[in-house]
């Protein structure tokens, strides 16, 4: 009996660093989100120079709250507070639902703003980026909830969902330091591919960790990363299609 108890303690001790990996990844996601939006949102907001509609502010609050929530949830799981982790999961469902709704509303708001600037078609084309992004997040989150009893799948899908919405934060640095001077308005859709690739490097880190610890890369990372990057690349031709302009233009017409 003593040997069995000691063996369990050893296994628990050895497993602990592995569990904290996702906590550290959640911290990296939260840091990326904060630093990404710092030059265009948090710093101007602190200086009271940022002007935005309530929809944009609430959208930003929800998405940053998600980053903090993800950190807390991974910490609860890593520290062995599984019951608290599961109980707190109800909050995540409500938060993700609100994020999906306000992500869509923020996309429509940006289209309306672009139309007011005389860039209606550019705004409609760019709308594919945030709309497809929040749709991908919602689908992966639902899959993660469906796999709560399969922790090896669940935690990887949650990380995939968190990384999938980081391209917007990373894109702010691209726009701040690399965008050419010009009139305000939506950027070309192709420039959103590079930030998505940079964000996916976090998934590459997770793949390397899988390879070193498990001897293989989990299919969630392989399929999820390929699906995410494929979506970001396909946004370009879809944004220029007549079908998308008819669909998004119809949404814009209803909102105006």
């Amino acid at each position: 009996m003593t040997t069995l108890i000691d063996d369990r303690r050893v296994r628990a001790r050895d497993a602990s660093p592995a569990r904290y990996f996702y906590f550290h990844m959640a911290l990296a996601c939260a840091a990326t989100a904060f630093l990404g939006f710092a030059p265009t949102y948090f710093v101007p907001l602190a200086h009271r120079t940022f002007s935005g509609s309530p929809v944009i502010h609430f959208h930003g609050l929800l998405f940053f709250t998600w980053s903090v929530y993800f950190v807390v949830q991974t910490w609860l799981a890593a520290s062995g507070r599984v019951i608290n982790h599961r109980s707190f999961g109800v909050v995540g469902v409500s938060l993700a639902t609100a994020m999906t709704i306000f992500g869509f509303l923020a996309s429509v708001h940006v289209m309306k703003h672009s139309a007011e600037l005389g860039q209606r078609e550019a705004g409609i084309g760019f709308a594919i980026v945030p709309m497809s992004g929040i749709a991908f997040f919602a689908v992966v989150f639902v899959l993660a909830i469906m796999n709560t009893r399969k922790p090896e799948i669940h935690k990887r899908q949650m990380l995939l969902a968190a990384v999938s919405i980081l391209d917007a934060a990373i894109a702010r640095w691209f726009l701040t330091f690399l965008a050419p001077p010009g009139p305000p308005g939506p950027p070309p859709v192709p420039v959103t591919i590079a930030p998505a690739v940079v964000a996916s490097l976090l998934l590459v880190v997770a793949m390397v960790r899988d390879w070193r610890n498990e001897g293989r890369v989990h299919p969630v990372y392989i399929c999820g990363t390929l699906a995410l990057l494929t979506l970001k690349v396909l946004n370009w031709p879809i944004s220029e299609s007549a079908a998308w302009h008819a669909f998004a233009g119809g949404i814009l017409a209803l909102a105006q």
Side-chain angles (χ1 to χ4, degrees):
M1 180 63 71
T2 302
T3 303
L4 180 59
I5 293 175
D6 290 342
D7 181 63
R8 286 177 178 175
R9 287 175 178 172
V10 170
R11 284 187 294 172
R13 181 197 62 199
D14 292 341
S16 182
R19 291 201 305 269
Y20 273 97
F21 171 79
Y22 290 93
F23 171 62
H24 296 150
M25 292 299 289
L27 287 175
C29 290
T32 300
F34 178 77
L35 293 175
F37 281 103
T40 60
Y41 184 74
F42 290 115
V43 172
L45 190 65
H47 292 161
R48 299 182 180 181
T49 58
F50 181 86
S51 177
S53 73
V55 170
I56 297 300
H57 284 295
F58 198 63
H59 162 266
L61 175 63
L62 286 171
F63 275 69
F64 189 69
T65 300
W66 167 263
S67 298
V68 177
Y69 168 81
F70 188 45
V71 170
V72 173
Q73 278 291 74
T74 52
W75 175 77
L76 289 173
S79 58
R81 296 172 173 83
V82 179
I83 295 178
N84 294 334
H85 172 84
R86 290 175 178 172
S87 299
F88 203 36
V90 177
V91 176
V93 173
S94 300
L95 182 58
T97 302
M99 289 168 62
T100 302
I101 294 172
F102 275 87
F104 174 78
L105 293 177
S107 302
V108 175
H109 174 79
V110 171
M111 278 199 294
K112 291 174 62 177
H113 182 65
S114 298
E116 293 169 357
L117 293 175
Q119 302 183 44
R120 181 178 182 275
E121 294 305 311
I124 290 174
F126 184 78
I128 185 66
V129 176
M131 287 187 180
S132 65
I134 194 59
F136 185 91
F137 168 84
V139 169
V140 175
F141 180 81
V142 169
L143 290 174
I145 296 302
M146 293 172 61
N147 285 293
T148 52
R149 296 186 180 275
K150 300 176 181 178
E152 294 303 313
I153 295 177
H154 172 76
K155 60 189 179 183
R156 288 174 172 83
Q157 288 176 331
M158 289 298 292
L159 179 58
L160 174 62
V163 171
S164 73
I165 56 176
L166 290 180
D167 57 329
I170 295 172
R172 294 305 187 277
W173 283 84
F174 279 73
L175 294 175
T176 300
F177 297 108
L178 299 178
V189 173
V191 304
T192 64
I193 298 175
V197 173
V198 173
S200 296
L201 293 178
L202 286 171
L203 295 174
V204 173
V205 172
M207 291 182 192
V208 172
R209 180 261 176 188
D210 264 11
W211 182 263
R212 293 181 60 182
N213 289 11
E214 310 292 338
R216 69 184 183 96
V217 178
H218 198 283
V220 167
Y221 288 145
I222 298 174
C223 298
T225 303
L226 288 175
L228 178 61
L229 294 179
T230 299
L231 175 66
K232 298 303 179 181
V233 172
L234 288 179
N235 279 342
W236 185 2
I238 292 175
S239 70
E240 298 178 349
S241 68
W244 173 255
H245 277 255
F247 172 74
I251 294 175
L252 175 59
L254 290 174
Q256 289 179 323

